[in-house]
Amino acid sequence: MLINKAYKFRLYPTKEQENLIAKTIGCSRFVFNRFLGQWNDTYQETGKGLTYNACSAELTQLKKEFVWLKEVDSIALQSSLKNLADSFTRFFKKQNKAPRFKSKKNPVQSYTTKVTNSNMAIVDNKIKLPKLGYVRLAKSREVEGRILNATIRRNPSGKFYVSIVVETDVQPLKKTESSIGIDLGITDFAVFSDG
């Protein structure tokens, strides 16, 4: 049975990598806010929002207008558009409130990137990320499975973390034909029916 499993590790980027992470976070926020404004304007005028595909096509034109968007990971920009489209879908299903503009003053800043053409890998105590190259990390345990995506976060204290989602195969436990009763009590924490 295939399941998704997440791992979180501390990152130790170089100064250049820190600058590129900050640029990527800023560009992702810019794309999110710009299309959120367009989405809100379109909704007020027509009563319908935009679609992810329409925004994605416009993003390529936006990269010609703002050349600095090409410096960062393009998948991160697409992910921020996907997050915007998903949050509007949930809003229209009345599952959450309307999306709000992202602020530079938010204490936790992050961006998400996905795996394409094996652009992500963990080698020893380093992780290979798009545009960043190999970044040193504190690997506390082995990552088992196929990497799907990674989210890079910067805390208010300036520390960097990466959350990696992997797809892994787990074997279900064998069923036994036995059962047991558990009595949770005050004097004894738990008493089992088999003694």
Side-chain angles (χ1 to χ4, degrees), residues 52 95 130:
Y52 168 74
Q95 293 175 346

Side-chain angles (χ1 to χ4, degrees), residues 89-96:
T89 303
R90 286 193 304 274
F91 168 66
F92 290 128
K93 289 181 179 176
K94 297 188 180 356
Q95 293 175 346
N96 65 350

Side-chain angles (χ1 to χ4, degrees), residues 1-194:
M1 173 170 72
L2 290 174
I3 63 162
N4 288 355
K5 190 174 180 180
Y7 297 90
K8 185 176 179 181
F9 301 113
R10 171 98 186 263
L11 281 180
Y12 296 97
T14 63
K15 274 289 177 205
E16 296 86 32
Q17 289 170 334
E18 280 184 26
N19 291 338
L20 191 56
I21 290 171
K23 273 185 186 177
T24 308
I25 289 170
C27 289
S28 297
R29 182 176 54 244
F30 170 79
V31 166
F32 185 91
N33 289 342
R34 180 167 178 114
F35 284 102
L36 175 58
Q38 285 184 4
W39 206 300
N40 288 339
D41 294 343
T42 307
Y43 184 71
Q44 286 178 347
E45 292 169 9
T46 64
K48 293 182 179 179
L50 299 171
T51 62
Y52 168 74
N53 292 335
C55 293
S56 182
E58 195 174 326
L59 180 61
T60 53
Q61 298 302 319
L62 200 64
K63 284 183 184 177
K64 293 175 184 169
E65 187 180 338
F66 300 104
V67 183
W68 41 267
L69 285 174
K70 292 181 181 177
E71 296 174 20
V72 299
D73 181 17
S74 61
I75 303 165
L77 302 180
Q78 290 289 342
S79 292
S80 65
L81 274 184
K82 194 76 175 148
N83 290 343
L84 177 64
D86 290 345
S87 58
F88 265 111
T89 303
R90 286 193 304 274
F91 168 66
F92 290 128
K93 289 181 179 176
K94 297 188 180 356
Q95 293 175 346
N96 65 350
K97 294 181 181 175
R100 295 181 300 183
F101 289 99
K102 291 189 177 189
S103 171
K104 196 183 279 190
K105 295 175 181 164
N106 193 3
V108 177
Q109 302 281 332
S110 68
Y111 74 90
T112 301
T113 184
K114 292 181 174 50
V115 172
T116 52
N117 303 328
S118 64
N119 61 353
M120 268 189 252
I122 295 180
V123 180
D124 297 328
N125 285 341
K126 291 184 178 179
I127 182 168
K128 181 183 172 193
L129 293 167
K131 292 276 186 174
L132 291 173
Y134 287 96
V135 185
R136 201 165 57 87
L137 77 146
K139 191 165 80 170
S140 54
R141 58 188 169 159
E142 288 300 318
V143 176
E144 298 169 3
R146 183 176 65 93
I147 299 175
L148 297 176
N149 63 42
T151 301
I152 292 87
R153 284 187 177 81
R154 183 181 61 211
N155 279 6
S157 62
K159 294 177 181 172
F160 293 91
Y161 293 90
V162 62
S163 298
I164 304 164
V165 177
V166 298
E167 186 179 64
T168 184
D169 191 25
V170 294
Q171 300 303 321
L173 297 173
K174 294 178 182 174
K175 292 190 178 188
T176 61
E177 298 301 322
S178 62
S179 60
I180 190 168
I182 303 172
D183 178 29
L184 300 176
I186 297 171
T187 53
D188 296 317
F189 174 69
V191 178
F192 298 100
S193 61
D194 62 356

